[in-house]
Amino acid sequence: MRVALTVNGERREADLWGGESLLTLLRDSLELPGSKNACEQGECGSCSVLYDGVLVCACLVLAAQADGHDVVTVEGLARGDELHRVQEAFVETGAVQCGFCTPGLVVAVADLLAREPNPSDDEIRESLAGNVCRCTGYVKIFDAVRLAAAGR
Ligand code: FES
Ligand code: FES
């Protein structure tokens, strides 16, 4: 079947098979490899994207369902050469080690700060509970969220 959707502000079309996930559509057909495939079971958050403005795991959304919908991936956050402030904060605080979790976390943090510009530590914890990082111990990630929230 063929689907047409908006991805990062652009209309995109692709052919797919019925059981394909939004994640494989983004990565394999639309050449947007920023969203990572770590568990493919909705457990790790590495594939986090905004789907009609709502944070979802792209591995749990059927690609066929996305027909006519709006998706924003990590590639859609920067403006040309200008990084999103969350991306800058991750770099500045050293919140990236292997980087596999980073795209999903960046999307999740951007979503959090759009909803709650000055989150408490508990709100950060709750919002990022679905994003697993096996490298950083989360300390630097929290630093990045606070830095991005401060708008510095
Ligand atoms: S790859 Fe989607 S939640 Fe892990
Ligand atoms: S930086 Fe390696 S999993 Fe998070």
Side-chain angles (χ1 to χ4, degrees), residues 36-90:
K36 299 298 180 236
N37 185 354
C39 73
E40 220 167 6
Q41 296 180 18
E43 297 288 346
C44 74
S46 68
C47 62
S48 300
V49 299
L50 296 174
Y51 182 81
D52 291 340
V54 176
L55 188 70
V56 299
C57 294
C59 69
L60 295 184
V61 177
L62 270 179
Q65 279 179 287
D67 188 48
H69 290 266
D70 185 78
V71 176
V72 177
T73 71
V74 69
E75 289 95 340
L77 296 182
R79 292 282 164 263
D81 289 340
E82 190 184 333
L83 291 180
H84 188 282
R85 67 185 163 123
V86 174
Q87 293 170 311
E88 277 180 349
F90 268 68

Side-chain angles (χ1 to χ4, degrees), residues 14-140:
D15 291 312
L16 50 84
W17 65 278
E20 185 171 342
S21 72
L22 175 60
L23 179 59
T24 62
L25 171 69
L26 292 169
R27 289 179 54 85
D28 300 341
S29 300
L30 301 184
E31 299 179 337
L32 292 167
S35 310
K36 299 298 180 236
N37 185 354
C39 73
E40 220 167 6
Q41 296 180 18
E43 297 288 346
C44 74
S46 68
C47 62
S48 300
V49 299
L50 296 174
Y51 182 81
D52 291 340
V54 176
L55 188 70
V56 299
C57 294
C59 69
L60 295 184
V61 177
L62 270 179
Q65 279 179 287
D67 188 48
H69 290 266
D70 185 78
V71 176
V72 177
T73 71
V74 69
E75 289 95 340
L77 296 182
R79 292 282 164 263
D81 289 340
E82 190 184 333
L83 291 180
H84 188 282
R85 67 185 163 123
V86 174
Q87 293 170 311
E88 277 180 349
F90 268 68
V91 172
E92 209 167 309
T93 57
V96 181
Q97 288 189 28
C98 81
F100 211 83
C101 67
T102 308
L105 272 162
V106 164
V107 174
V109 173
D111 174 62
L112 166 64
L113 296 183
R115 290 182 288 106
E116 174 48 73
N118 191 23
S120 66
D121 283 357
D122 281 349
E123 287 169 327
I124 297 171
R125 238 174 245 117
E126 189 174 340
S127 290
L128 303 186
N131 291 83
V132 175
C133 175
R134 282 291 170 259
C135 303
T136 64
Y138 299 97
V139 173
K140 296 293 184 186

